Amino acid sequence: MKQNRLASVDQKDLERARKYIKSLRNPNCREDDVFFQAMEEVLLSIAPLYLSDPKYKENAIVQRLVKPDRIFKFKVEWMDRNNQIQVNTGYRVQFNNALGPYKGGLRFHPSVNEGVLKFLGFEQILKNALTGLPIGGGKGGSDFDPKGKTDFEVMNFCSAYMQELHKYIGPRIDVPAGDIGVGAREIGYLFGQYKKITSSYEGVLTGKPFFFGGSLMRPEATGYGVVYFTEKMLEIEGKKPLEGKVCTVSGSGNVALHAIEKLYALGAVPVTCSDSKGTVYDPRGVDLDLLKELKFEKRVSLEEYAGKHPESQYIPVSEYPKDGHAAWHIPCYAAFPCATQNELSLADAKALVKNGCVSVTEGANMPSTPDAIHYFLESGICFGPAKAANAGGVAVSALEMSQNAQMMRWSFEKVDAELKDIMVHICTNVAQTADEYGVTGNYVDGANIAGFKRVADAMIAEGI
Ligand code: NDP
Ligand code: 2IT
């Protein structure tokens, strides 16, 4: 039986940490719910370290870490296909640059607000620290919804967004990339506009298409990295590898698709994928080519999948289990939530464990609710938290920055080998840190403590 993640913390200290976290919160600002969710997990993980080493308190590290360096919020005016002016809100949160230039994706989705971007930016600080590379943490985006828009409209929006964003970014200052709703198409338009405004051809964005400065493997990096991480975690924990095993995946975007691709490459059988409207369950294994066609070329709903594969089942969101996601109720050896935050509830966690799942790895950012995570840790299954498991994407972004700075391009094999090394190193470091702090097997505490130490030590060394 693995140790309870909270067992090593003095309960009085924990109570004090909880009170402190509560004091930071404005209860009237619901937008910040996800930010506090992310912050609370980290602060509870690091409490024993923080309380045992006075240098952190003396340097007010927690107070400084939970406040972004700055937040830019701006109006984005653009013209739609009917020559109507549309108005959205754009953001960039520059959270912490103790370890390097602010680095993190841009999300275009109607649910984007300041709180969502603070949660993502905060997670990004520790994630980027875990990669061991010189990158700080940031995040940005807009409530713009690219769904149903023409390429022309997306281009207009990206150009208008960059009209403001270019003032705050630069290859040594802040380097955005993709996230939900932002892929190679959007990065291309954003890059083109930055170049036009500044007359500078430089590595200011990552995730660029390969033929004008992107890195090979960046599109695959997050999904592949999630699977590399899982293989290492299973090995460390003495569990069987993924070969021949049934896996469940949620999402059908960049991360999900490449996780599925790598699972097949290792001989596993990924049987589910999903989008915001429903889940596909294909017991013979998800048809990857069809998935790419539907989600990347046609950009349509997964509903069309079942029409081509009558043996598969399409479960619309309206038929999902109460408080849950359909994918997590299908028996599997390993599960990979790769869609969005809080998509895996306590009820889902219970269903996974009951059905014999031995491993859950987070491809999305914070996809499991806190009570689901607690349940996984109590159950003693392998649990790979997002900030460690999905760090492969940003790691290869840093390799793209490096290639741009050198005016070089590396081969697919070289980047893949680097990615694998980085993921194995992250996993080993997280497992060893958990061991060192008396919470063996708890990768949540391991990741939070290892990431925190690197950032905090840099903040102390750099002074105020
Ligand atoms: P994409 O935009 O490529 O795909 C997102 C997928 O998630 C789509 O299938 C989308 O469905 C689904 N989705 C999005 N929002 C919701 C929602 N509110 N409810 C249900 N389903 C939803 O994004 P990515 O694959 O890049 O990102 C997925 C996750 O991985 C995010 O949490 C992101 O932050 C994280 N991540 C991404 C990295 C990257 O390199 N891209 C790196 C590390 C983490 P639909 O098609 O219907 O919109
Ligand atoms: O959440 C993430 O790590 C990303 N969306 C990737 C960020 C990046 O800079 O590549």
Side-chain angles (χ1 to χ4, degrees), residues 103-106 120 124 127-128 138-139 175-180 206-207 218 222 365 390-391 393-398:
K103 180 83 195 89
L106 299 173
L120 289 164
Q124 200 81 44
K127 179 195 308 193
N128 294 3
K139 202 83 189 188
V175 183
D179 193 79
I180 290 179
T206 59
R218 176 61 188 90
T222 312
N365 283 311
N390 74 26
V394 75
V396 172
S397 274

Side-chain angles (χ1 to χ4, degrees), residues 21 37 131 179 217 239 325 353 401 436 443 459:
I21 298 162
Q37 183 183 328
T131 66
D179 193 79
M217 273 286 299
K239 301 283 194 262
H325 189 297
V353 173
M401 289 163 71
E436 199 183 319
Y443 286 56
M459 288 170 73

